């Protein structure tokens, strides 16, 4: 970047830069973001009659395309430059471009504070960098999110170059493995790591002489004499394979061998998944609109984990000891449960043998608040006491401490941090969606957002939990570090200011191997292709068809003059981010679309008075206004109701029967479970290009990317697809089949669960090696919890007590 800046300032392009900045100053604003910067440069090139190459290929053009922020001060100009993914530089130019220099993050944060008149010379600085410096990190940004692969390679390299300390640690891990005091894997007959290879050879020789299917029960005494306890396999052949992997790994460490060996070693028997703030249940209660996707994710994950753990325990030969997997979905008990089971302490997860929803109530401070559902933006004062109470309930329910704790969303991840510290368990974080990137300048202007969103608590909780986590599961690469053009959700926590509260100088190590891209799956027992007619119930199909196209109901707005038109279908919570009103406006502005298609949308509510938040109320009113403004009566239907998953899945299939399409019109989407549901149902799907959802679909191959900010272009894309289907009737079917294949090949729960458990097992070994450094970081994060988070949570609690 130094050479690029020097090339500009030592050439005629310096004048162009000076004139561009002068034009920005004339706009009477000081803060410019990337889209504004690019547009200003585009306008400058046009007005100055620059040749076409100048915008893209000149040195100045290259700098402008790398620039994500420009801040104009009276004497200085700040450039936040991101020349490559996960790398931000802060350049300070004198206003007359007479000098320039690369600055530290603190200087830029001060400039941002000055911009909003919130500068103070002394402010708390949060810097996590020193805790990551001793640890190995990924070097190539393209490999960010592949932490498991990196750790496998790194551990094998260490074993190859300096084997003794790493073999000692491996021996300690194997020797320490137990279940409620029952020793597993190796016993005290194997005294040291030097003896281990010898005993492995003896065990392999013994097992090689046994019938392959000989049950473990018949050979366990012989193996015990050699120093081996249960856990290697349920048959002679399975135990032989596992010990052979250990033998190969000791003698010739290789990542593939390490992964295969670790995948067989029993490590997780009790798992807790935490999802706190939404109505977590299974009948007529699958989350509030703000959390429906998260609740479905957690319940599907619980089923898959229990099934995988049961399979692993059986294959390891541990079922003979009476060991059974236990999976708990930890959430809050809501006394005023509105006729649902959310006021019941325990509820079995359907389709499992030993997975349960465990509900723990919030301690009562003001019953008007704690007896009812609480928005995810208001839940913060109750999390510490919830964690204390949940610790006691979990021990009673599980009969022992959990091996793995998986947090979901910001609140669940914070509770996972608190519980993992107490239980000394592996902590996994799943963000689902980090609010910081959804709301423009939510950090810089946090005081203005505080009354409604309480971002000071949420962002602090995020910083604590994401750094405390042993590993982080992300659904997409973009969730971590974005694209060349956009910041990732986690990347937005790297460096930011909350004026008068704190500066984050270095908030997260994006190259840490703790990050793993492990996308979720879809429940194919419920969501399956429309073409699988033998699995569909005709009466359900007819009922859902009538619901979508013709039934009159107080919770349905609109009728269809011509129900035979191709349906455009969308299902989402009614929030500004999900942008269903934007889809209706896109449809309303295109006469051609209205002539060819009907619009059908499903949301949680239809009436503004039924909204649970001010934002939802505003979006409901906006959608009503757009329908009236463009006179979409007779061309659209709006179902303001919650459908059960079986009915929703049939709705996707009914739309596919009609050769319709699914449109996900969100301004930003971290991932998008509904996209997977639509695709596996066989619906050609159009999804926002902003966020991780664009990684699900390969544009033009198995679906289409759209820009929800460009209504005209989106309408044209949909019309082009419809016209192409008219010319080639097989085209709709081709996209449909590719969509189904894409989900089945890449987005399935079996693959997700396998990778997640592998991460947990490898991380357990990793932690034992770097425990000292990790403990120092956790102490630092505890200080942030008690000195910042807790104090602000107590202030919010005071407000709740006055309600």
């Amino acid at each position: 970047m130094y050479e690029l800046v020097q090339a500009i300032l030592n050439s005629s392009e310096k004048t162009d830069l000076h004139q561009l900045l002068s034009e920005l100053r004339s706009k009477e604003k000081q803060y410019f973001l990337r889209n504004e910067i690019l547009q200003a440069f585009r306008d400058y090139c046009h007005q100055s009659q620059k040749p076409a190459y100048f915008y893209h290929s000149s040195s100045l053009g290259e700098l402008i395309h790398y620039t994500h922020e420009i801040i104009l001060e009276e004497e200085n100009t700040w450039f936040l430059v991101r020349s490559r993914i996960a790398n931000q530089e802060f350049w300070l130019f004198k206003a007359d471009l007479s000098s320039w220099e690369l600055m530290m993050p603190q200087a830029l944060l001060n400039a941002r504070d000055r911009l909003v008149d919130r500068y103070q010379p002394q402010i708390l600085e949060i810097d996590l960098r020193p805790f990551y410096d001793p640890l190995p990190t990924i070097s190539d940004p393209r490999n960010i999110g592949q932490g498991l692969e990196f750790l496998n390679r790194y551990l094998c390299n260490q074993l190859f170059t300096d084997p003794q300390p790493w073999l000692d640690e491996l021996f300690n891990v194997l020797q320490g493995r137990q279940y409620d005091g029952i020793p597993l894997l190796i016993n005290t007959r194997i005294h040291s790591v030097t003896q281990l290879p010898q005993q492995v050879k003896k065990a392999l020789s013994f097992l090689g002489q046994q019938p392959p299917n000989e049950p473990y029960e018949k050979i366990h005494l012989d193996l015990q004499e050699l120093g081996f306890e249960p856990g290697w396999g349920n048959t002679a052949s399975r135990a032989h394979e596992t010990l052979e992997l250990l033998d190969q790994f000791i003698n010739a460490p290789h990542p593939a061998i390490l992964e295969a060996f670790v995948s067989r070693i029993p490590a997780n028997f009790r798992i807790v998944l935490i999802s706190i703030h939404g109505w977590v249940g299974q009948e007529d209660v699958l989350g509030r609109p703000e959390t429906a996707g998260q609740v479905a994710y957690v319940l599907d994950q619980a089923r898959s984990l229990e099934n995988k753990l049961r399979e692993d325990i059986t294959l390891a030969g541990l079922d003979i000891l009476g060991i059974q997997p236990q999976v708990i979905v930890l959430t809050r008990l809501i006394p005023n449960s509105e006729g649902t089971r959310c006021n019941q302490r325990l509820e079995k997860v359907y389709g499992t043998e030993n997975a349960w929803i465990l509900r723990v109530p919030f301690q009562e401070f003001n019953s008007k608040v704690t007896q009812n559902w609480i928005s995810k933006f208001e839940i913060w004062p109750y999390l510490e006491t919830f964690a204390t109470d949940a610790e006691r309930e979990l021990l009673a329910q599980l009969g022992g401490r959990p091996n793995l704790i998986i947090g979901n969303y910001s609140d669940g991840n914070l509770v996972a941090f608190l519980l993992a510290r107490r239980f000394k368990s592996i902590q996994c974080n799943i963000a689902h969606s980090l609010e910081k990137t959804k709301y423009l300048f939510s950090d810089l202007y946090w005081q203005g957002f505080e009354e409604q969103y309480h971002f000071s608590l949420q962002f602090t909780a995020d910083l604590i939990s994401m750094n405390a986590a042993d590993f982080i599961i992300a659904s997409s690469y973009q969730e971590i570090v974005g694209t060349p053009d956009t910041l990732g959700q986690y990347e937005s926590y790297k460096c930011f200011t909350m004026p008068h509260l704190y500066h984050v100088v270095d908030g997260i190590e994006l190259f840490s191997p703790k990050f793993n891209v492990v996308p979720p799956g879809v429940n194919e027992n419920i969501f399956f292709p429309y073409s699988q007619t033998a699995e569909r119930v005709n009466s359900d199909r007819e009922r859902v068809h009538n619901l979508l196209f013709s039934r009159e109901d107080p919770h349905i707005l609109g009728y269809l003059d011509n129900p035979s038109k191709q349906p455009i279908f969308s299902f989402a919570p009614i929030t500004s981010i999900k942008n269903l009103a934007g889809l209706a406006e896109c449809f309303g502005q295109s006469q051609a679309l209205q002539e060819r298609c009907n619009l059908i949308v499903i949301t949680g509510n239809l009436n503004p008075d039924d909204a649970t938040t001010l934002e939802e109320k505003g979006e409901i009113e906006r959608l009503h206004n757009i329908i009236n403004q463009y006179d979409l009566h007779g061309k659209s239907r709006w179902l303001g109701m919650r459908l059960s998953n079986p009915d929703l899945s049939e709705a996707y299939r009914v739309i596919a029967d009609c050769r319709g399409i699914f449109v996900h019109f969100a301004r930003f989407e971290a991932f998008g479970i509904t996209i997977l549901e639509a695709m596996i149902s066989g619906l050609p799907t159009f999804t926002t290009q902003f966020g991780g959802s664009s990684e699900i679909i390969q544009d033009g191959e198995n679906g289409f990317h759209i820009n929800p900010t460009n209504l005209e272009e989106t309408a044209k894309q949909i019309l082009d697809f419809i016209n192409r289907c008219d010319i080639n009737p097989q085209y709709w079917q081709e996209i449909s089949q590719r969509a189904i294949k894409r989900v089945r090949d890449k987005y399935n729960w079996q693959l997700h669960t396998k990778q997640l458990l592998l991460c947990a097992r490898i991380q357990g070994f990793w932690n034992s090696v770097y425990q000292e450094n990790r403990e120092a970081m956790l102490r630092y994060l505890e200080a942030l919890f008690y000195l910042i988070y807790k104090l602000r949570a107590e202030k919010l609690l005071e407000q709740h007590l006055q309600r």
Side-chain angles (χ1 to χ4, degrees):
M1 187 52 60
Y2 178 89
E3 291 79 8
L4 180 63
V5 174
Q6 195 170 40
I8 295 169
L9 298 185
N10 290 338
S11 70
S12 61
E13 292 185 19
K14 178 178 180 179
T15 302
D16 294 305
L17 175 57
H18 195 280
Q19 292 177 356
L20 173 64
L21 293 177
S22 296
E23 293 196 11
L24 289 178
R25 289 182 183 276
S26 70
K27 296 180 184 295
E28 298 184 351
K29 59 181 294 187
Q30 293 178 272
Y31 209 138
F32 295 87
L33 298 179
R34 189 170 188 274
N35 287 341
E36 299 170 303
I37 297 165
L38 288 173
Q39 185 59 53
F41 185 55
R42 190 180 294 110
D43 293 343
Y44 171 77
C45 292
H46 177 72
Q47 294 164 5
S48 304
Q49 298 183 332
K50 294 291 184 181
Y53 81 87
F54 192 83
Y55 177 77
H56 296 285
S57 305
S58 65
S59 295
L60 179 57
E62 189 175 352
L63 173 65
I64 293 300
H65 280 81
Y66 288 150
T67 301
H68 283 248
E69 295 179 12
I70 290 178
I71 299 176
L72 302 175
E73 295 188 299
E74 186 173 342
E75 297 182 358
N76 299 311
T77 300
W78 293 86
F79 277 65
L80 190 159
V81 179
R82 188 170 176 263
S83 58
R84 59 184 185 275
I85 281 178
N87 181 70
Q88 300 178 25
E89 295 180 356
F90 315 113
W91 291 87
L92 176 66
F93 292 77
K94 287 296 182 183
D96 60 1
L97 302 183
S98 60
S99 65
W100 48 279
E101 61 179 316
L102 182 64
M103 304 295 289
M104 298 297 289
Q106 292 91 329
L108 177 70
L109 299 180
N110 287 333
R112 286 175 175 165
D113 288 355
R114 289 193 296 268
L115 181 72
V116 295
D117 295 325
R118 295 285 191 274
Y119 172 72
Q120 60 185 48
Q122 301 296 326
I123 190 170
L124 173 66
E125 290 185 351
I126 297 174
D127 186 359
L128 278 300
R129 164 56 52 192
F131 301 106
Y132 286 101
D133 281 341
L135 304 176
T137 54
I138 293 168
S139 57
D140 188 338
R142 292 173 296 183
N143 294 330
I144 290 174
Q146 299 178 33
L148 177 63
E149 292 84 349
F150 172 83
L151 288 180
N152 283 342
R153 291 195 304 271
Y154 181 83
L155 291 172
C156 289
N157 288 336
Q158 293 299 307
L159 272 165
F160 184 79
T161 57
D162 187 18
Q164 196 56 50
W166 294 89
L167 287 174
D168 287 341
E169 199 56 51
L170 175 63
F171 177 76
N172 291 335
V173 169
L174 294 177
Q175 191 178 52
R177 196 57 48 90
Q178 54 87 29
Y179 176 84
D180 289 352
I182 302 172
L184 305 177
L185 298 179
I186 62 176
N187 58 40
T188 54
R189 288 183 175 88
I190 301 177
H191 304 290
S192 66
V193 69
T194 54
Q195 188 187 3
L196 179 61
Q198 305 168 15
Q199 297 305 105
V200 169
K201 297 286 189 188
K202 292 178 182 178
L204 287 173
S205 176
F206 165 73
L207 291 168
Q209 300 171 29
Q210 310 305 310
N213 293 325
E214 187 77 358
Y216 176 78
E217 300 94 302
K218 294 187 177 181
I219 56 176
H220 79 280
L221 292 176
D222 297 279
L223 288 173
Q224 202 171 51
E225 277 295 316
L226 294 171
F228 297 97
E229 295 292 336
W232 297 100
N234 60 336
T235 64
S237 62
R238 177 81 181 182
H240 188 280
E241 290 170 4
T242 307
L243 284 164
E244 191 169 42
L245 286 169
L246 176 59
D247 183 56
Q248 292 173 5
F249 179 64
I250 292 172
N251 292 292
H254 187 277
I257 296 173
L258 174 59
E259 182 169 317
F261 173 68
V262 168
S263 69
R264 290 176 174 234
I265 296 303
N268 301 294
F269 308 104
R270 301 181 177 110
I271 298 179
V272 175
L273 294 78
I274 306 176
S275 178
I276 299 174
H277 61 272
W279 295 77
V280 179
Q282 301 175 94
E283 292 181 5
D284 304 321
V285 67
L286 197 63
R288 287 289 195 187
E290 65 180 27
T291 56
Q294 180 193 140
V295 173
Y297 179 114
V298 171
L299 291 176
D300 285 343
Q301 188 183 60
R303 294 185 188 95
S304 184
L305 280 168
E306 196 241 15
N307 184 61
K308 177 62 175 170
L309 291 182
R310 190 170 299 281
E311 176 187 314
D312 289 349
I313 287 170
T314 299
L315 289 174
L318 297 179
D319 52 338
I320 64 169
L321 300 178
I323 296 176
Q324 295 291 320
Q326 293 175 279
V327 177
I328 295 291
V329 177
L330 176 65
T331 188
R332 67 168 294 228
L333 186 147
I334 306 174
N336 294 338
S337 60
E338 300 179 15
T340 72
R341 293 184 182 177
C342 290
N343 62 350
Q344 297 182 11
R345 177 182 179 273
L346 206 59
E347 180 182 355
K348 192 173 184 180
V349 177
Y350 297 158
T352 69
E353 294 183 45
N354 202 16
W356 301 84
I357 301 171
L358 175 64
R359 301 186 180 95
V360 177
F362 285 165
Q363 289 186 14
E364 273 199 14
F365 295 93
N366 178 352
S367 60
K368 293 178 182 178
V369 177
T370 54
Q371 293 280 313
N372 302 297
W373 172 80
I374 302 173
S375 164
K376 63 183 180 181
F377 297 116
E378 297 278 334
I379 201 170
W380 308 107
Y382 311 102
L383 298 184
E384 185 181 11
T385 55
F386 175 83
T388 301
D389 294 340
E391 178 183 5
R392 181 175 58 254
E393 293 288 334
L394 286 169
L395 286 172
Q397 189 65 33
L398 293 171
R401 71 174 186 87
N403 311 108
L404 173 63
I405 298 177
I406 303 173
N408 290 272
Y409 193 69
S410 300
D411 48 18
N413 286 327
L414 186 69
V415 172
F417 158 69
L418 296 172
L419 287 175
R421 285 291 277 159
R422 291 166 182 161
F423 285 128
K424 300 189 183 305
S425 304
I426 298 294
Q427 179 191 346
C428 167
N429 274 26
I430 302 176
H432 292 281
S433 180
L434 293 165
E435 303 292 333
K436 189 169 177 295
T437 53
K438 291 183 178 181
Y439 298 86
L440 190 62
F441 298 129
S442 55
D443 49 2
L444 190 61
Y445 295 102
W446 69 271
Q447 289 99 329
F449 288 102
E450 195 70 356
E451 183 177 352
Q452 182 174 359
Y453 295 114
H454 307 288
F455 285 146
S456 67
L457 282 157
Q458 181 154 13
F459 298 168
T460 305
D462 287 335
L463 276 173
I464 293 169
S465 61
M466 69 176 61
N467 284 287
D470 295 289
F471 66 102
I472 295 171
I473 293 298
S475 295
S476 66
Y477 177 84
Q478 293 185 43
E479 184 179 337
I480 308 170
V481 287
T483 70
D485 300 329
T486 60
L487 291 181
Q489 292 185 63
Y490 282 98
E491 187 179 3
S492 72
Y493 286 79
K494 182 73 173 174
C495 177
F496 67 95
T497 175
M498 301 191 78
H500 287 176
L501 186 60
Y502 56 68
H503 283 174
V504 175
V505 175
D506 200 323
I508 185 69
E509 175 52 77
L510 299 168
F511 290 85
S512 168
K514 73 164 58 185
F515 284 105
N516 288 271
V517 176
V518 185
V522 63
N523 187 341
E524 292 190 47
N525 292 322
I526 298 175
F527 298 94
F528 54 84
Y530 76 101
S531 54
Q532 293 178 202
T533 54
E535 298 177 36
R536 298 175 67 182
V537 179
N538 287 333
S539 59
D540 288 342
R541 174 164 33 188
E542 293 172 5
R543 177 175 52 82
V544 172
H545 186 280
N546 291 336
L547 178 69
L548 293 174
F549 289 91
S550 59
R551 194 176 99 186
E552 294 185 9
D553 189 284
H555 297 288
I556 299 176
L557 176 68
Y559 58 91
L560 300 178
D561 291 335
N562 184 357
S564 63
K565 291 180 182 178
Q566 276 186 274
I568 297 172
F569 179 55
S570 191
F571 162 70
I574 188 160
T575 66
S576 60
I577 297 297
K578 298 301 183 182
N579 197 28
L580 284 174
L583 174 59
E585 189 167 15
C586 175
F587 183 72
Q589 288 184 6
S590 174
Q591 202 62 40
L593 264 187
Q594 293 174 47
E595 291 172 0
R596 302 292 302 277
C597 302
N598 290 315
L599 177 64
I600 302 174
V601 299
I602 301 179
T603 71
N605 290 311
L606 183 68
N607 190 322
D609 294 336
D610 295 329
T612 57
T613 65
L614 289 175
E615 180 186 4
E616 184 184 4
K617 181 178 180 180
E619 284 299 300
I620 292 174
E621 291 172 344
R622 181 176 169 228
L623 187 49
H624 277 291
N625 291 337
I626 287 171
I627 290 171
N628 292 327
Q629 176 186 348
Y630 293 100
D631 190 22
L632 299 182
H633 305 287
K635 306 164 189 175
S636 67
R637 276 173 64 84
W638 174 4
L639 285 68
M641 57 181 66
R642 293 187 180 92
L643 300 188
S644 66
N645 269 352
D647 279 357
L648 177 60
S649 66
E650 191 58 37
Y652 288 122
R653 291 189 287 268
V654 165
I655 298 294
D657 291 335
C658 302
R659 295 176 67 82
I661 63 171
F662 180 81
V663 180
H664 190 78
F665 210 71
R667 291 190 173 97
F668 175 86
E669 181 57 69
F671 186 70
I673 290 291
T674 56
I675 298 168
L676 297 183
E677 293 170 353
M679 291 174 71
I680 195 68
S681 303
L683 274 175
T685 298
F686 293 71
T687 185
T688 178
Q689 68 186 42
F690 301 121
S693 60
S694 62
E695 291 182 30
I696 299 175
I697 285 177
Q698 298 161 306
D699 190 31
E701 174 65 22
N702 41 48
F704 305 91
H705 296 164
I706 56 174
N707 181 350
T709 66
N710 191 330
L711 305 186
E712 182 178 352
E713 179 61 29
T714 297
K716 182 179 181 299
Q717 283 180 264
I718 295 173
L719 283 167
D720 286 347
F721 173 76
I722 293 171
N723 291 333
R724 184 166 177 179
C725 291
D726 288 344
I727 296 169
N728 175 15
Q730 290 300 311
Y731 185 58
W732 187 97
Q733 187 68 28
E734 290 171 8
I735 296 296
S736 172
Q737 290 301 312
R738 291 176 197 160
I740 294 168
K741 186 176 187 304
R742 173 70 170 171
V743 175
R744 283 183 167 165
D745 288 351
K746 189 172 176 63
Y747 301 100
N748 63 78
W749 281 114
Q750 292 78 16
L751 182 60
H752 170 97
T753 303
K754 177 184 176 183
Q755 290 298 103
L756 188 153
L757 292 175
L758 271 173
C759 289
R761 286 163 171 151
I762 285 289
Q763 202 64 53
F765 177 62
W766 186 253
N767 285 353
S768 65
V769 177
Y770 285 103
Q771 184 58 45
E772 182 177 342
N773 185 266
R774 176 167 169 73
E775 183 61 27
M777 178 190 282
L778 291 171
R779 293 288 186 184
Y780 183 89
L781 297 172
E782 283 181 337
L784 296 182
F785 177 84
Y786 287 108
L787 297 178
I788 301 176
Y789 176 89
K790 186 170 182 176
L791 295 179
R792 298 202 64 81
E794 288 172 348
K795 289 183 179 181
L796 180 55
L797 180 59
E798 291 174 6
Q799 297 175 24
H800 286 191
L801 289 173
Q802 296 170 8
R803 291 183 179 177

